[in-house]
Amino acid sequence: MTANRILVVDDDLHIRRLLESALVRAGYVPIEATTAAEALEQAKNGAPDAILLDLGLPDRDGLEIVTLLRPRCPAPIIILSARESTDQKVAALDLGAHDYVTKPFDSEEVLARLRATLRARIEAQGASPIVLAGTVTIDLANREVRRDGKEVHLTRKEFEVLSQLALHPGRVVTHQRVLAAAWPHEIDRRIDYLRIVVRNLRQKLEADPSRPALIINELGVGYRLMADT
């Protein structure tokens, strides 16, 4: 499994440790920020899959951070805040947050909201959370890949490339689209990078990597995942 990276943004050490412990137990990789500035930096460079955001940070109001995060990072935002007023909740959701949990919270509820948010994100992109391609099963929501029922370890880059193909099963996905998704902060997005990752994926997933039947090259255009219909 290639674990989802979850950015925890809170200046309270106790809350961060509570959330990070729960996230690790649930199979996620937590990364942290204690200020708005750190949150914006991690959102840009840490490639989080979701963000747990406290509104009461020392350097900026949390509602302002939501508006700054949205254009920088596509990851869904779940607000964790002691602010209980309906106006605050509505404002956060209207600005682009995906969910709102009031402090004090139960960590299991936060994990349930997180699972639902990640699943909804996959489904909103028009893909089934589970994609079958021959003997390979790709679980997009849980970032898990199996071949013949056995889990296959993929690097983060390998999973990002494969997930872009799995989001559009049977369709050609252009080189540039995959590069933009897997290398979002690279200025020089070279196709050589992508070819290396695809070669590694074929070694791990194809019955005969020299004669690929799952990840097909469309010469000069991109790649196609031959998923089951």
Side-chain angles (χ1 to χ4, degrees):
M1 179 186 294
T2 305
N4 283 294
R5 291 163 61 86
I6 310 301
L7 173 57
V8 177
V9 185
D10 202 304
D11 62 338
D12 186 318
L13 177 61
H14 173 72
I15 295 293
R16 291 201 309 279
R17 293 295 173 263
L18 173 68
L19 288 171
E20 288 168 2
S21 176
L23 289 167
V24 169
R25 287 199 313 271
Y28 299 107
V29 175
I31 52 180
E32 69 173 44
T34 61
T35 66
E38 289 179 2
L40 294 172
E41 182 67 20
Q42 288 282 30
K44 178 182 178 182
N45 298 320
D49 297 290
I51 301 171
L52 303 179
L53 173 65
D54 176 38
L55 294 183
L57 296 176
D59 52 340
R60 281 185 186 268
D61 181 76
L63 293 178
E64 184 182 0
I65 301 170
V66 174
T67 64
L68 295 173
L69 283 171
R70 294 292 355 119
R72 286 172 168 80
C73 180
I77 299 171
I78 300 176
I79 301 296
L80 305 179
S81 177
R83 302 179 188 179
E84 299 180 354
S85 74
T86 300
D87 289 347
Q88 289 287 310
K89 295 178 181 179
V90 170
L93 295 170
D94 282 346
L95 288 171
H98 290 70
D99 204 346
Y100 195 111
V101 180
T102 304
K103 293 180 179 180
F105 52 75
D106 185 306
S107 59
E108 291 304 315
E109 179 187 0
V110 174
L111 290 176
R113 300 283 190 99
L114 178 60
R115 288 192 297 271
T117 298
L118 291 170
R119 186 167 56 249
R121 184 187 181 196
I122 295 294
E123 293 171 348
Q125 296 180 66
S128 168
I130 305 257
V131 177
L132 303 178
T135 62
V136 175
T137 302
I138 305 163
D139 185 337
L140 292 168
N142 292 309
R143 299 177 70 88
E144 185 176 82
V145 177
R146 292 181 177 274
R147 177 184 174 189
D148 295 318
K150 297 180 180 179
E151 187 171 334
V152 178
H153 173 73
L154 300 182
T155 66
R156 184 171 180 83
K157 279 287 186 285
E158 289 167 355
F159 186 85
E160 293 298 340
V161 169
L162 183 62
S163 67
Q164 283 303 305
L165 303 181
L167 285 168
H168 310 281
R171 293 164 51 190
V172 179
V173 184
T174 66
H175 295 136
Q176 289 307 315
R177 182 165 187 168
V178 180
L179 285 166
W183 287 269
H185 305 301
E186 292 286 341
I187 296 175
D188 181 19
R189 295 172 182 159
R190 297 175 56 186
I191 293 178
D192 290 349
Y193 301 158
L194 178 56
R195 288 175 179 152
I196 292 169
V197 172
V198 169
R199 183 178 65 206
N200 293 341
L201 283 171
R202 286 171 170 162
Q203 290 291 332
K204 294 179 179 182
L205 303 179
E206 298 275 4
D208 182 356
S210 66
R211 300 178 63 186
L214 296 179
I215 303 175
I216 304 301
N217 180 36
E218 299 291 343
L219 190 61
V221 179
Y223 294 96
R224 184 196 310 265
L225 177 69
M226 301 305 291
D228 300 349
T229 57

